[in-house]
Amino acid sequence: MKKILLFGVALVGLIFSFESTGVYAEGELHRPLYHITPEVEWMNDIQRPLYINGQHHLYFLYNKDYSSGGNGTEWAHAVSTDLVHWERKPVAIEKYKTPYGDPWTGSTVIDVNNTAGFGNNAVIALVTMPFEGQSTHLWYSTDGGNSFAYYGIVQHNPTGSADFRDPKIIWHEQTQKWVMLLAEKDKVGFYTSSNLKDWEYASSYVRQDIGLVECPDLFQLNVDENSSNKKWVLMIGGNGFNYGLTTGSSYFVGDFDGREFYAETPVEWLERGADSYTGTTWDTPYTNGNYRYFISWMNNWNYARILPWDTFNGNTSIVREIRLKTTPAGLKLVQKPVSNLQDNFPTIMDISGTNIYSDQENIFKDFHGLSYSIEAKIDVADLTEGKFGFSLRDGDGQHTDIIYDKSINELVFDRQNSRIKIDVEEFNRQQKVIVNPIEGKMKLNILVDRGAVEIFINDGEYVLSNLILNDMSSDGLRLWTDEHVFLEYLKLSVANESTIH
């Protein structure tokens, strides 16, 4: 993705664990507890993580000079064994260490068989840098992805255009070739190589309905976790303006022969929220092709540069598991939070088989919190009447609303009642999703983490990720209905204390 001379910062110690109340300094009050953030300054694009010797290695772009007007990005680095607790490591690729500028978005692979000549299991990063408009450069690591040395340009820009970026590399087992995807304006270019240095053009996948394409990804998944039925998924960062959405990850399910991708489905969107961009996936040996992990930059370029901030700017989404499922509407990717995340959240309310009426006292009246989760299964067929909803981060006239209208099966997310008004249409527009009940029920998993809200509907059939901008004093929670709502179950859990080092 193009990096408009803005970005994020130096890292040491643990990025997060969990924390319940205000132990942060004044400038840290808005920092999420269980989302990855830079220690200070600016972050944006997430680079595809790698799994090496039991550790997940995450890289993201940041600019330690953002607040002083400096520019350029570096590759920040963090590691985790459980995808919940992350340890900051020194910068992996520093900026302005070559004549070609700073490192932008790219991806890493493990060169198990030494095809590039830097040794077995060397970690190779192919990275866009601002030379010749945009060109592809190789960096390599012989210490397990902790630090990288510069090799050189491996793909000159034949167009001189600024839309020749975001290389994503995979190994294609059937053809015994490396495959690279590049974002090239309205298309994804496919290239092949035997050594990660010399690349040959193979084909293009053109889309003229999703705006400027960025940050492509290509992977294979078992359908319904059936290893005898596999499909390829091409994921492309794009703009959903033609589909009533903003920027996010579009995807297509189909086949890939090592040179060309053949879509078998129309365009789908991984997100219905506004704040999930540069999404990327990775796997491990133990996922067995049944699912992949996913993480994204939780922001939106339409307003990222004007959001208020104090000591840091930006956070990731939580890590998610994505699966390819057969649904009544065809093959779809579904998402859920990484399985052990909410194991760290103690449950403080657990109710079941309960009717909530419009004239009764708010069941959450004694709760005050900024980082928590709500898991609920709600009858939306026979036992609920009228609209109902949750008001998150409620207080002092501020609240963020999730509203469901069972008469039209519509769920609405509305953040217009934030403290800070952002005069950008994508921030203020209500997000609307038709959610059909499953056996008369709707499931919600709502993750609130200070300024970050992620909503998983019907086991990840739909996901909405959004930033909210409320005062810390807006720490209440309400469940309301204009008639009555039947809760098959509802569980409220809170984040634990942090052990940030």
Side-chain angles (χ1 to χ4, degrees), residues 20-155:
S20 56
T21 53
V23 300
Y24 286 135
E26 180 67 26
E28 294 287 280
L29 290 178
H30 294 274
R31 188 184 294 275
L33 304 184
Y34 54 89
H35 289 71
I36 300 169
T37 59
E39 190 171 44
V40 292
E41 302 285 342
W42 173 282
M43 73 172 292
N44 61 297
D45 288 21
I46 314 301
Q47 318 307 312
R48 182 180 59 204
L50 285 178
Y51 184 72
I52 305 173
N53 297 327
Q55 281 191 325
H56 301 268
H57 291 249
L58 172 73
Y59 306 93
F60 62 85
L61 298 186
Y62 83 96
N63 176 10
K64 63 189 174 187
D65 307 313
Y66 178 66
S67 62
S68 60
N71 60 26
T73 57
E74 300 184 309
W75 275 34
H77 181 206
V79 297
S80 175
T81 57
D82 65 1
L83 295 170
V84 174
H85 306 87
W86 293 83
E87 179 187 358
R88 293 188 178 99
K89 306 291 283 185
V91 170
I93 302 179
E94 296 180 274
K95 63 182 178 181
Y96 301 132
K97 296 298 181 181
T98 77
Y100 306 110
D102 54 321
W104 294 359
T105 298
S107 65
T108 53
V109 292
I110 302 171
D111 188 11
V112 175
N113 296 317
N114 191 27
T115 63
F118 300 108
N120 294 93
N121 297 309
V123 177
I124 308 298
L126 291 191
V127 182
T128 298
M129 296 178 70
F131 176 70
E132 302 176 334
Q134 293 172 357
S135 50
T136 307
H137 300 245
L138 188 151
W139 298 70
Y140 65 95
S141 171
T142 56
D143 63 359
N146 289 296
S147 63
F148 288 78
Y150 182 70
Y151 168 75
I153 302 173
V154 296
Q155 193 179 44

Side-chain angles (χ1 to χ4, degrees), residues 482-501:
D482 58 15
E483 291 194 38
H484 64 268
V485 57
F486 182 79
L487 305 177
E488 186 163 309
Y489 65 77
L490 183 145
K491 182 165 70 172
L492 173 65
S493 306
V494 297
N496 274 326
E497 290 235 340
S498 174
T499 53
I500 295 175
H501 299 301

Side-chain angles (χ1 to χ4, degrees), residues 377-440:
K377 189 173 186 180
I378 302 170
D379 184 292
V380 292
D382 301 323
L383 302 180
T384 291
E385 292 296 335
K387 295 180 182 178
F388 64 89
F390 293 90
S391 291
L392 315 172
R393 295 292 312 277
D394 181 51
D396 293 335
Q398 307 163 31
H399 46 90
T400 296
D401 299 303
I402 301 167
I403 305 160
Y404 188 76
D405 184 344
K406 65 164 285 181
S407 68
I408 55 174
N409 294 329
E410 181 180 74
L411 183 138
V412 176
F413 178 86
D414 188 344
R415 56 180 172 179
Q416 293 180 84
N417 291 299
S418 294
R419 173 179 66 90
I420 298 172
K421 306 303 180 186
I422 303 296
D423 189 21
V424 176
E425 195 270 340
E426 285 85 358
F427 190 89
N428 294 305
R429 181 174 60 208
Q430 289 183 335
Q431 298 156 15
K432 299 181 179 182
V433 183
I434 298 300
V435 179
N436 294 308
I438 299 175
E439 297 180 348

